[in-house]
Amino acid sequence: MAQPVGIKDVARVAGVSVGTVSNVINRPDTVATETRARVLSAIDRLGYVRSESARQLRAGRSRIMGLLVLDMGNPFFVDVARGAERAARDAGLGVMVCNSAESAGEEAEYLSLFAEQRVRGVLLTPADATGRNIASFRRHGIPFVLVDRVSEGTTECSVSVDDEAGGALAVRHLIDAGHRSIAYVSGPPGFTQVRDRRTGALNALAEAGLGPECLRELPTERLDVAAGRDAGARLLGLADRPTAVFCANDLLALGVLQAMYAAGINVPEDLAIVGYDDIEFAAAAAVPLTSVRQPAVTMGALAAGMLLEETEEGGGPGAGRHEHRRVVLQPELVVRRSSLPAR
């Protein structure tokens, strides 16, 4: 494999010093016209491309922002990335997007990669419920903002949605439609979002004078369509099957919907379904899915803006003025056919 062309190669071909080549690249007005033309000709002939990463390390200012999410297969996180990328691009930065696949081990590896690359900062939706990965990453001194997670127990900025309110919206809607026996397809119990949505569901039941026994929880190992289909199969096997299902995200809800369709169960006549996130596929499902909408693009843009604010103020005049803050957005219930009132 051919070795990359370096600045020394350019200097040799042009018959000048390495410092002169550097001046032509970074401060061309300081170099005589004839010398500058000779160096530029050498650059063109050799196909030299300067190392942007090396330049950034020397300057101590990376132009890359890291984004680490739970699952890039989930359109919710794609929308978060869109919002973050838009804000970063407006500031002249790029975004390195990585996927932890809901794995604490993979999350640790990517955080180490971000530290090695000396990224400007990181937007992070944690997969590690213990907080050890965050504690380890904090030692590198790289700013980060939590996305889709409240910054409890940390001093960093965070952007999230009130998931207790979202869970209450979903179950209150089902109660108003006449349902008194509801399943909660919850996902991995270690995720704060999963627990908060369950708390909201229980709060809605209590408001209606119903006990926690009215909510049957069906945990899953992942938050994807396959896990939803598995939960749907378990739901079909229950002797006292609930009349409605609230799912911790839309992918789970779509999996439950697939399982019901395959078994000949009518939605919503035999089973009402409510999801969470309001991804694009929710409205396009065979039975359009009622869902609790999260403003994903806004979350990504706000988080990126907070990170940019922190890194700008922390690295120049006005250092120390940045104040960490917690932004909690409100969810919205979008009602579609999958949860029409029970007959």
Side-chain angles (χ1 to χ4, degrees):
M1 182 180 296
Q3 293 296 314
V5 175
I7 194 170
K8 292 182 179 179
D9 300 310
V10 174
R12 175 176 51 79
V13 171
V16 298
S17 68
V18 169
T20 297
V21 176
S22 178
N23 285 338
V24 169
I25 294 170
N26 299 297
R27 296 177 295 278
D29 293 342
T30 65
V31 182
T33 302
E34 182 182 341
T35 303
R36 186 168 66 244
R38 194 162 68 247
V39 171
L40 291 174
S41 175
I43 287 174
D44 184 59
R45 277 191 289 152
L46 294 173
Y48 169 75
V49 178
R50 72 174 176 177
S51 172
E52 180 67 12
S53 61
R55 187 188 70 80
Q56 291 174 13
L57 287 174
R58 287 194 298 272
R61 300 287 286 169
S62 171
R63 292 178 55 239
I64 297 296
M65 177 187 300
L67 171 62
L68 181 55
V69 300
L70 292 177
D71 179 13
M72 280 305 294
N74 186 338
F76 167 75
F77 288 112
V78 174
D79 286 342
V80 169
R82 284 174 50 218
E85 191 273 336
R86 187 178 304 162
R89 186 178 65 244
D90 289 345
L93 273 65
V95 179
M96 180 190 299
V97 181
C98 297
N99 175 27
S100 71
E102 301 178 18
S103 163
E106 292 192 34
E107 174 182 86
E109 292 177 6
Y110 279 122
L111 288 175
S112 293
L113 174 64
F114 289 152
E116 291 171 6
Q117 295 297 316
R118 299 293 192 273
V119 296
R120 174 75 64 94
V122 174
L123 306 178
L124 170 65
T125 303
D128 177 23
T130 70
R132 284 192 291 265
N133 286 343
I134 288 179
S136 177
F137 184 70
R138 190 180 285 114
R139 294 198 296 265
H140 297 289
I142 298 174
F144 63 90
V145 174
L146 300 180
V147 184
D148 194 32
R149 183 70 56 86
V150 175
S151 57
E152 294 177 354
T154 73
T155 59
E156 285 74 25
C157 291
S158 66
V159 180
S160 62
V161 166
D162 188 339
D163 283 314
E164 288 191 17
L169 281 174
V171 171
R172 194 178 295 126
H173 167 69
L174 291 171
I175 292 171
D176 290 344
H179 299 283
R180 297 295 181 267
S181 178
I182 301 169
Y184 176 43
V185 178
S186 61
F191 289 162
T192 303
Q193 301 94 319
V194 166
R195 296 196 303 269
D196 287 350
R197 291 165 196 176
R198 178 179 183 274
T199 297
L202 292 172
N203 290 343
L205 289 171
E207 290 171 7
L210 301 172
E213 70 278 359
C214 293
L215 190 72
R216 178 81 65 89
E217 185 166 2
L218 297 173
T220 63
E221 293 184 358
R222 296 183 61 82
L223 290 161
D224 56 23
V225 173
R229 285 196 297 267
D230 175 72
R234 284 184 281 152
L235 184 66
L236 289 168
L238 297 177
D240 52 344
R241 190 170 71 222
T243 61
V245 181
F246 166 44
C247 298
N249 76 1
D250 285 342
L251 296 183
L252 290 172
L254 291 171
V256 171
L257 180 61
Q258 288 180 5
M260 296 305 109
Y261 181 81
I265 302 297
N266 294 319
V267 175
E269 292 82 3
D270 300 324
L271 184 77
I273 302 176
V274 176
Y276 204 105
D277 290 338
D278 195 33
I279 61 176
E280 183 178 358
F281 299 136
V287 179
L289 185 66
T290 294
S291 184
V292 178
R293 176 178 294 166
Q294 297 198 83
V297 174
T298 299
M299 290 174 68
L302 282 174
M306 293 164 75
L307 187 60
L308 289 166
E309 176 187 294
E310 179 175 358
T311 56
E312 288 299 325
E313 293 186 354
R321 290 187 303 176
H322 176 78
E323 293 184 4
H324 292 304
R325 63 189 186 276
R326 177 188 299 181
V327 175
V328 181
L329 304 174
Q330 291 303 308
E332 173 189 359
L333 182 70
V334 181
V335 179
R336 300 189 181 95
R337 186 180 156 209
S338 72
S339 64
L340 290 176
R343 290 184 295 182

